[in-house]
């Protein structure tokens, strides 16, 4: 789960990272008022969306008067901000953060990520802040400093000092940098983050180290033990299909294709998407309905997949280990009777009670296309979608 910049800054500040003074606003009027409250004569107005690259996309504006703050906000609120990280549909701007502008001497990149190969938290830093890390690694790979943290002892002082030295920081700032690094690491560990990124971390004209931007992502599977993080979730920033799925406890990722997938098990769901592509189609989603899929759960999955208007065929692929094919078959039949499904549905069942499952499908009298192997199932789904296309797709009411 992602959170907003202002929320990440608040968390990091609680651990000891210095941030500029700022305030949140939900309207241009409130933003102008916030600027007055903050004082000073220059402010930065920042669109709060779950994506980077806002600066280049018009989501970060330097303002010299309260009137300019108001004006900048009028151009932001209600609009969709499209950055290279949002995709073409963009992300809605419903909150802005107003900050006292800071005179910048140097911009540093600082990131904490999970390095899967070493299975540790890795610190990535670069003296070339301001640019995106992808750009830095393409243009100035030699400027990148990497350091992995030994989890048994945590981030060590010498290790943090070494990073500060490698970045070429003024020695007078070393202690401040060490404090900043340790604070980020503690925030990362404490809240089961998967990513902390400060870009830019700046050295100010008066020689302080400030986080000018902040991004944090968290491990969804650990949110249950951090209710204070879970409540920061902002559905306005999520793909509505994925929000619906998360609310129903289903693991769903929306994609651009038109063959909807209902599968049990993440690995099998990945294999199903690959096989659909191999058969010449494009999957509309990743969906893992889990091990013990009850008929109700299967029906929920159908409703979710069909809520994507791009879906023109559905492939149900179940390998019943813990599950039973007859239960799944009952779920499919129930879903097809309850919902008005007028796209072709291909079902492939394997494993426990497969014969009973097949019988239930056959006896239902519903136009279910059956398949035995995964390849066959994918080919039939792609074939059914193509045929449907040539016949002209009808309107669908769900
Ligand atoms: P991003 O584009 O979404 O990563 O948004 P950032 O928060 O990183 O802002 C983009 C850029 O705006 C930064 O790289 C800075 O160069 C600039 N910026 C942000 N805040 C300030 C500030 O207080 N003073 C100055 N001079 N520039 C700022
Ligand atoms: Mn940034």
């Amino acid at each position: 789960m992602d959170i907003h910049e202002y929320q990440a800054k608040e968390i990091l500040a609680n651990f000891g990272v210095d941030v500029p003074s700022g305030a949140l606003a939900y309207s241009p009027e409130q933003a102008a008022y916030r600027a007055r409250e903050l004082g000073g004569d220059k402010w930065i107005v920042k669109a709060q969306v779950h994506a980077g690259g806002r600066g280049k996309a018009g989501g970060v504006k330097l303002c010299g008067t309260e009137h300019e703050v108001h004006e900048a906000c009028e151009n932001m609120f209600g609009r969709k901000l499209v950055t290279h990280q949002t995709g073409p549909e963009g992300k809605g701007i419903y909150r802005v953060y107003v900050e006292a502008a800071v005179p910048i001497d140097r911009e540093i990149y600082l990131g904490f990520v999970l390095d899967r190969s070493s299975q540790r938290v890795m610190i990535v830093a670069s003296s070339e802040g301001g640019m995106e890390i992808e750009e830095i690694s393409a243009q100035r790979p030699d400027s990148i400093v990497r350091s992995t943290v030994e989890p048994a002892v945590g981030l060590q002082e010498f290790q943090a000092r070494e990073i500060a030295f490698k970045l070429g920081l003024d020695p007078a700032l070393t202690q401040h940098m060490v404090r900043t690094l340790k604070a980020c690491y503690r925030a990362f560990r404490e809240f089961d983050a998967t990513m902390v990124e400060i870009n830019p971390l700046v050295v100010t004209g008066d020689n302080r180290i400030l986080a000018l931007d902040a991004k944090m992502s968290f491990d969804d599977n650990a949110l249950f033990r951090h209710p204070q993080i879970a409540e920061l979730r902002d559905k306005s920033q999520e793909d509505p299909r994925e929000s619906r799925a998360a609310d129903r406890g289903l693991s769903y990722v929306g994609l651009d294709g038109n063959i909807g997938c209902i599968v049990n098990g993440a690995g099998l769901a990945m294999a199903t998407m690959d096989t659909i592509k191999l058969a010449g189609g494009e999957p509309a989603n990743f969906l893992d309905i889990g091990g013990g899929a009850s008929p109700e759960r299967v029906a929920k999955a159908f409703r979710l997949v069909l809520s994507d208007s791009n879906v023109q065929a559905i492939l149900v692929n179940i390998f019943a280990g813990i599950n039973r094919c007859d239960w799944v078959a009952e779920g499919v039949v129930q879903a097809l009777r309850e919902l008005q499904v007028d796209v072709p549905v291909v079902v492939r069942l394997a494993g426990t009670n497969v014969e009973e499952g097949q019988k239930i499908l056959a006896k239902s009298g519903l136009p279910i296309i059956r398949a035995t192997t995964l390849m066959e199932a994918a080919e039939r789904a792609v074939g059914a979608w193509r045929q449907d296309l040539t016949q002209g797709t009808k309107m669908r009411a769900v």
Side-chain angles (χ1 to χ4, degrees), residues 87-343:
E89 66 286 353
K91 298 225 176 204
I93 305 173
Y94 306 105
R95 306 174 198 188
V96 303
Y97 195 49
V98 184
E99 270 186 343
V102 173
I104 302 174
D105 238 22
R106 270 192 68 179
E107 293 188 311
I108 293 163
Y109 174 91
L110 180 61
F112 289 69
V113 288
L114 278 177
D115 177 43
R116 289 175 197 275
S117 59
S118 66
Q119 303 180 13
R120 279 169 174 48
V121 175
M122 183 189 265
I123 303 173
V124 182
S126 163
S127 48
E128 303 293 315
M131 283 194 267
E132 306 290 327
I133 188 65
E134 291 82 7
E135 270 178 89
I136 301 174
S137 50
Q139 291 171 25
R140 290 288 317 276
D142 46 305
S143 76
I144 298 177
V145 179
R146 290 187 182 81
S147 185
T148 48
V149 183
E150 166 56 49
V153 293
L155 177 60
Q156 296 290 291
E157 298 254 341
F158 79 88
Q159 209 181 345
R161 276 195 296 275
E162 191 177 53
I163 294 169
F165 297 149
K166 285 189 178 162
L167 290 172
L169 282 179
D170 178 343
L173 288 169
T174 309
Q175 222 21 58
H176 198 166
M177 187 61 182
V178 169
R179 170 153 62 85
T180 305
L181 288 165
K182 289 181 79 170
C184 292
Y185 180 73
R186 279 193 293 127
F188 190 108
R189 286 297 308 264
E190 177 80 23
F191 291 123
D192 291 302
T194 52
M195 192 267 291
V196 171
E197 187 187 62
I198 302 181
N199 187 26
L201 178 72
V202 300
V203 177
T204 62
D206 53 354
N207 236 15
R208 289 180 303 146
I209 294 182
L210 282 185
L212 237 57
D213 188 11
K215 286 188 176 57
M216 285 185 86
S217 301
F218 301 89
D219 183 346
D220 292 342
N221 294 316
L223 283 177
F224 73 94
R225 57 182 186 189
H226 307 297
Q228 70 275 49
I229 301 294
E231 76 184 16
L232 300 180
R233 182 173 166 203
D234 181 357
K235 288 192 196 173
S236 77
Q237 302 296 307
E238 295 175 359
D239 180 326
R241 297 176 299 178
E242 289 173 20
S243 302
R244 267 197 300 271
D247 290 344
R248 287 165 180 72
L250 295 166
S251 174
Y252 176 99
V253 180
L255 302 165
D256 300 331
N258 36 36
I259 300 189
C261 304
I262 298 176
V263 188
N264 71 327
L268 190 60
M270 300 290 276
T272 305
M273 297 191 302
D274 282 347
T275 314
I276 288 172
K277 288 198 78 112
L278 196 64
E282 290 291 336
N285 64 279
F286 166 96
L287 173 58
D288 170 14
I289 61 169
S294 61
E296 293 74 33
R297 216 171 156 75
V298 175
K300 261 187 207 172
F302 263 97
R303 230 173 266 131
L304 180 68
V305 168
L306 283 167
S307 68
D308 177 354
S309 60
N310 290 329
V311 168
Q312 290 168 340
I314 294 180
L315 170 49
V316 181
N317 184 24
I318 303 290
F319 179 83
I322 309 169
N323 215 325
R324 288 170 41 180
C325 287
D326 48 336
W327 291 346
V328 174
E330 268 164 27
V332 172
V333 170
Q334 197 176 313
L336 293 184
R337 291 218 169 104
E338 278 170 19
L339 308 168
Q340 232 191 324
V341 182
D342 55 7
V343 295

